[in-house]
Amino acid sequence: MMAALLLGAACYPTTTRPPFVSLPSATVVEWELSVREATQELALALDADSIPVRRTESADGWLETGWFDAATLRPTTRRPIGVDIVRLRAWADPSRPNHSSITVETVYRPLDDPSRDDHSLDRVVPPNHPVAIRVGMLLDRLTKKFGDPGEVAAPAVAPDTGLKKKAAKPDSLPQPTGVPHR
């Protein structure tokens, strides 16, 4: 019993990470760096590229900017509505031995809705957004430096091609053998 209490007291279950995960269409890359090193390298590269990192928590593997103007890359106090005001968040998580998976999202808010929590309003900027292009090029450079050869930054999900799958009509679905069609 005492061993269990000591073991529980030795754990430090708190983290500074935000209580939410990245959006599904965030960019994911893998680097041969520890979580701490990957977070630091990304923060330094963003700062060097004039993207205003506001908070870096290397021990917990995440960073974020405040809301900033997409054209000037300067922090802003303007209301964050529309694609002209964006925010970047990144998480580094352990992956293979001696590697980290880095997830980066650049988001905007299309609208304001006081009845919803702030993060639920966030949307990933389109791939042709100037900040998305800039961050993509930065991630490509860092992935060439720290990633496996041939790996480049890519969205976590395939981009929407605009093609819609035709839904099958219930009548055209194959019927199991031995079951009459109704």
Side-chain angles (χ1 to χ4, degrees):
M1 178 69 175
M2 184 60 133
L5 288 174
L6 288 174
L7 183 60
C11 296
Y12 192 66
T14 61
T15 180
T16 61
R17 277 189 171 213
F20 49 82
V21 295
S22 66
L23 296 171
S25 55
T27 302
V28 179
V29 294
E30 185 177 63
W31 297 339
E32 189 174 354
L33 294 172
S34 70
V35 167
R36 182 182 294 270
E37 293 168 327
T39 306
Q40 290 170 344
E41 288 291 339
L42 181 57
L44 290 171
L46 289 167
D47 280 336
D49 203 25
S50 301
I51 295 176
V53 176
R54 181 182 64 134
R55 183 172 179 182
T56 303
E57 296 289 342
S58 299
D60 287 334
W62 71 278
L63 62 83
E64 70 179 356
T65 68
W67 292 102
F68 65 95
D69 186 293
T72 66
L73 302 179
R74 295 191 186 271
T76 185
T77 56
R78 284 181 33 207
R79 195 166 159 199
I81 304 295
V83 294
D84 295 336
I85 307 294
V86 298
R87 164 182 266 171
L88 182 139
R89 293 184 192 99
W91 294 263
D93 296 295
S95 58
R96 303 183 282 152
N98 303 317
H99 287 72
S100 294
S101 175
I102 293 77
T103 305
V104 180
E105 66 180 18
T106 304
V107 299
Y108 74 101
R109 291 198 179 138
L111 56 94
D112 189 17
D113 183 349
S115 69
R116 294 172 54 189
D117 70 284
D118 286 343
H119 184 65
S120 71
L121 298 169
D122 291 350
R123 301 291 177 264
V124 172
V125 297
N128 63 346
H129 189 277
V131 176
I133 292 169
R134 187 179 196 114
V135 170
M137 290 175 15
L138 182 140
L139 289 175
D140 284 345
R141 283 194 313 269
L142 291 172
T143 300
K144 285 177 184 161
K145 184 175 180 180
F146 301 116
D148 290 331
E151 184 181 341
V152 293
V157 295
D160 183 10
T161 61
L163 301 175
K164 303 236 187 249
K165 291 184 181 177
K166 197 172 191 178
K169 294 179 185 175
D171 296 7
S172 66
L173 295 175
Q175 295 295 315
T177 309
V179 177
H181 180 68
R182 296 181 195 213

